[in-house]
Amino acid sequence: MITVNINQKTYHVDADPDTPLLWVLRDHIGLVGTKFGCGVAQCGACVVHLDGEAVRSCVTKLRRAEGKKVVTIEGLSPANNHPLQKAWLELDVSQCGYCQAGQIMSAAVLLKANKNPTDQDINDAMAGNICRCGTYLRIREAIHLAAQLQKKEGSGK
Ligand code: FES
Ligand code: FES
């Protein structure tokens, strides 16, 4: 039994410690917002936060999450109102949507560390997240918008 905190809830997971975290999230817990794309750390569809760091859950073993805090797209904000989620809606970023949870989770780590990223900062931080539909320009625009929204929220405006 491995104890993991996921989206602020404690779970005791009865699975092999070598099970990929993605399997646990989707098949054991039923959190299917995190997607399986390549399964070999190449596409970013499965990105979640592990103690605040962006990790690819398809290649992160359950044992690595033991006693740690995992956040998935379902837990990113209390009412799906993270500045990134607002910006994504505002700019209609998603196309098929498959890659988008991973994109947002990667962008959230960027925005936490860098409140005002440049195009280059965004390109660098998001380089590992592939979008087959080619929504890259809208993603970049939405991250800039989210940075502005975050600033406004931070200043109480
Ligand atoms: S499914 Fe994990 S990086 Fe592609
Ligand atoms: S929106 Fe379709 S893969 Fe990115």
Side-chain angles (χ1 to χ4, degrees):
M1 209 60 96
I2 296 206
T3 303
V4 198
N5 182 293
I6 302 169
N7 298 338
Q8 304 197 24
K9 267 190 178 167
T10 301
Y11 293 89
H12 304 288
V13 183
D14 186 10
D16 187 309
D18 286 337
T19 308
L21 180 59
L22 178 60
W23 273 233
V24 172
L25 294 172
R26 292 182 57 89
D27 296 346
H28 291 247
I29 316 239
L31 291 169
V32 295
T34 307
K35 300 296 188 239
F36 173 78
C38 63
V40 289
Q42 296 296 306
C43 74
C46 65
V47 169
V48 298
H49 299 171
L50 184 62
D51 277 354
E53 180 199 344
V55 297
R56 284 154 196 255
S57 59
C58 68
V59 291
T60 302
K61 293 180 174 171
L62 174 60
R63 67 167 83 246
R64 199 178 145 201
E66 182 161 24
K68 298 203 171 136
K69 288 193 171 141
V70 176
V71 177
T72 70
I73 188 71
E74 291 91 342
L76 182 63
S77 60
N80 296 328
N81 59 356
H82 186 283
L84 284 163
Q85 290 166 311
K86 290 184 186 165
W88 244 246
L89 283 176
E90 170 85 25
L91 297 177
D92 240 337
V93 173
S94 298
Q95 203 160 309
C96 81
Y98 203 82
C99 71
Q100 300 289 330
Q103 305 277 4
I104 289 176
M105 296 310 279
S106 292
V109 170
L110 165 67
L111 274 191
K112 207 162 199 188
N114 182 348
K115 308 279 180 229
N116 200 12
T118 62
D119 280 354
Q120 194 56 53
D121 295 335
I122 294 172
N123 293 349
D124 292 346
M126 302 299 292
N129 286 81
I130 308 295
C131 175
R132 277 198 323 189
C133 302
T135 61
Y136 300 110
L137 293 180
R138 290 205 298 276
I139 287 173
R140 203 166 64 192
E141 211 184 320
I143 294 173
H144 282 304
L145 175 58
Q148 288 169 21
L149 295 173
Q150 185 174 258
K151 218 179 287 167
K152 274 193 203 153
E153 286 177 14
S155 66
K157 280 181 211 156

